[in-house]
Amino acid sequence: MSLFVDSLGPLASALGTTIVMALVAGVASLVLGTLVTAARISPIPVLRGAAFAYVQFFVNVPLLALLILAVFALPDAGVIMPLAPTTVVVLALYEAAYVSEAVRSGVNTVAHGQIEASRALGLTLGQTLRLVVIPQSLRAAVQPIGNVMIALTMNTALAAAVGVVELTSAANKLNLVQAQPILIFTGAGLLYMVLALVIGLGAGRIERKVAIVR
């Protein structure tokens, strides 16, 4: 009981940090990933090439390597930010590549005839993407995006490697004091599981609400 009481405060505070990081990075990655998708399907070769390079870079470089590079190399280049915001920015940039892939899979569900009809009605490319293609793509990709958000939440644990006191870091510090790894890390794992379940159930509910009946 004493271990539970002593652990509750630090773990609750660290859990709050994890949730905030996941929320901010999740929203940012969703916005950025959608923009990257729009660039990837645009008829402008330069935009398509830049978006493709962006996705390939972040998909093929380990997140931990990016975090270490941002935290320890950027200050040498004169870019100094607090640890938590730096981690959130890296998470958002990294997960945006996966969001882009998820949204692009939703683009494939939009009938080509709708795009042609939009252009026939006089809509510009930007209007066609904003009013026709992207909304339907997002609705079709709710569950894949939900999976990306779950992965993002789990990836916040890597922030412990660069000094951010989130859930994994707090659990490790408690274990160094209490020497109860099974109880402490099982509890932390259960908290991550709850977060994943909440995101998964929420994505499922949103998917049912916005499902496109064809």
Side-chain angles (χ1 to χ4, degrees):
M1 185 66 180
S2 175
L3 174 62
F4 175 77
V5 173
D6 293 341
S7 304
L8 187 59
L11 284 180
S13 176
L15 176 61
T17 300
T18 293
I19 292 173
V20 170
M21 288 173 59
L23 283 174
V24 176
V27 172
S29 66
L30 182 59
V31 173
L32 180 57
T34 302
L35 293 175
V36 172
T37 300
R40 291 194 71 180
I41 62 177
S42 74
I44 304 173
V46 174
L47 286 179
R48 288 202 310 271
F52 177 79
Y54 175 92
V55 172
Q56 292 304 309
F57 175 80
F58 284 101
V59 165
N60 291 293
V61 176
L63 176 58
L64 183 57
L66 293 172
L67 284 171
I68 293 174
L69 182 66
V71 170
F72 297 106
L74 287 182
D76 290 339
V79 181
I80 300 175
M81 292 175 59
L83 285 177
T86 300
T87 302
V88 168
V89 170
V90 173
L91 279 170
L93 292 172
Y94 180 81
E95 298 297 342
Y98 292 90
V99 170
S100 173
E101 291 292 277
V103 177
R104 196 163 69 97
S105 70
V107 171
N108 295 330
T109 67
V110 181
H112 189 66
Q114 293 190 36
I115 300 175
E116 293 179 342
S118 302
R119 301 307 299 272
L121 290 172
L123 296 182
T124 64
L125 173 62
Q127 290 173 325
T128 300
L129 290 175
R130 181 168 54 88
L131 300 175
V132 179
V133 178
I134 297 300
Q136 292 188 67
S137 302
L138 290 173
R139 291 171 69 179
V142 169
Q143 199 60 58
I145 291 173
N147 293 337
V148 173
M149 293 301 116
I150 291 174
L152 186 156
T153 303
M154 301 302 107
N155 283 337
T156 58
L158 292 176
V162 293
V164 178
V165 183
E166 43 68 67
L167 185 55
T168 298
S169 176
N172 187 50
K173 289 182 177 181
L174 282 172
N175 179 56
L176 292 176
V177 175
Q178 303 288 350
Q180 294 287 342
I182 295 177
L183 290 176
I184 292 174
F185 286 107
T186 298
L190 289 174
L191 289 174
Y192 279 115
M193 185 182 72
V194 170
L195 292 177
L197 285 174
V198 169
I199 296 171
L201 292 174
R205 185 167 183 177
I206 293 172
E207 184 180 38
R208 289 190 295 271
K209 280 192 172 185
V210 303
I212 300 174
V213 180
R214 300 186 185 277

